[in-house]
Amino acid sequence: VGDPTASEKIIFSCVAFMTDALTLHGSEFEGQDGQDPTGICQAVATLLAGGSHISAWLRQAVAFRMCTLMVFHGIQLDSAHYWVATWLLVQAFAQVESPLSGNFALEASVFSGRLLRFFASLRSLSSHHMKVLAAASEGFLFCDLWRLGHLLPVVNQLPTVLALPRLVRFLSRELSVCSGGHGEEENPWLQSLWRPLALVCLESTA
């Protein structure tokens, strides 16, 4: 990962300030119906949607900040939070495939590995934290990202593929641990995987 530019440092400083404020004083920022009045996730979603237009350094730095925020503050009930969680999940299973990628492929693998460890650790924290993974899986299905396959946007002009079988196995294993609860809120397996998957199948046959 190359050195950040001055503008990237300023952007990251703003993101770091807002995430730190939410982590330390989250209850004071809480809006109605769990919404985030600060708009930090909306801003981050717009930033991350830039794809190859943002550097690997900024993308990774912002991603790790959002992971920290979700560990301490959970996930809120708005589309921006769901989008960011889904983006993190996709990045955890994205693989750079190019014989000319060199050190970048190694750095991308380390980045994906750290995100995978983040999602894998949620189960050991609490059932509340599993809502982050549940939201990511729900967004993945509802946004039809499973259709992308090898058509993921290139990263630093290098072809990137999605390890879809690994992603599905991971979601199945992690969310099934939380199954068997009473009610939808306690059963992310049913709420965030099977229900959107059934809707996808119904739409495909319509």
Side-chain angles (χ1 to χ4, degrees):
V1 179
D3 294 331
T5 64
S7 60
E8 289 176 336
K9 290 180 179 179
I10 294 174
I11 293 173
F12 176 69
S13 295
C14 294
V15 172
F17 172 79
M18 293 302 299
T19 54
D20 285 345
L22 279 173
T23 300
L24 295 174
H25 309 285
S27 59
E28 300 176 19
F29 287 101
E30 193 74 15
Q32 295 181 349
D33 300 325
Q35 299 294 313
D36 173 20
T38 65
I40 180 62
C41 268
Q42 182 64 53
V44 168
T46 303
L47 177 65
L48 296 178
S52 59
H53 296 292
I54 66 173
S55 69
W57 179 88
L58 183 58
R59 183 171 57 251
Q60 294 182 19
V62 170
F64 294 142
R65 276 287 172 171
M66 297 311 298
C67 289
T68 302
L69 177 63
M70 291 181 180
V71 166
F72 288 98
H73 194 54
I75 191 160
Q76 305 304 304
L77 303 177
D78 62 60
S79 58
H81 277 76
Y82 275 53
W83 193 96
V84 171
T86 301
W87 184 89
L88 292 172
L89 179 66
V90 170
Q91 295 303 309
F93 290 91
Q95 298 177 340
V96 175
E97 290 197 349
S98 172
L100 303 177
S101 56
N103 290 334
F104 181 79
L106 177 61
E107 294 170 353
S109 297
V110 172
F111 175 52
S112 297
R114 293 179 68 180
L115 290 178
L116 185 58
R117 287 183 61 186
F118 161 71
F119 282 110
S121 67
L122 297 175
R123 180 175 56 172
S124 62
L125 294 176
S126 70
S127 59
H128 176 74
H129 286 87
M130 285 299 292
K131 292 181 180 179
V132 175
L133 181 59
S137 63
E138 188 173 347
F140 180 79
L141 290 170
F142 272 124
C143 294
D144 283 348
L145 294 179
W146 58 276
R147 295 178 182 270
L148 291 176
H150 64 285
L151 300 177
L152 282 177
V154 295
V155 177
N156 280 26
Q157 306 305 316
L158 297 173
T160 306
V161 299
L162 178 64
L164 186 58
R166 289 180 53 226
L167 188 153
V168 173
R169 286 195 299 268
F170 177 78
L171 290 178
S172 176
R173 183 182 70 247
E174 295 298 310
L175 293 180
S176 62
V177 173
C178 296
S179 64
H182 302 287
E184 290 184 340
E185 286 298 320
E186 300 177 6
N187 198 338
W189 169 260
L190 176 63
Q191 177 76 5
S192 300
L193 190 60
W194 278 115
R195 189 172 71 172
L197 185 58
L199 292 175
V200 167
C201 293
L202 288 174
E203 291 173 357
S204 298
T205 57

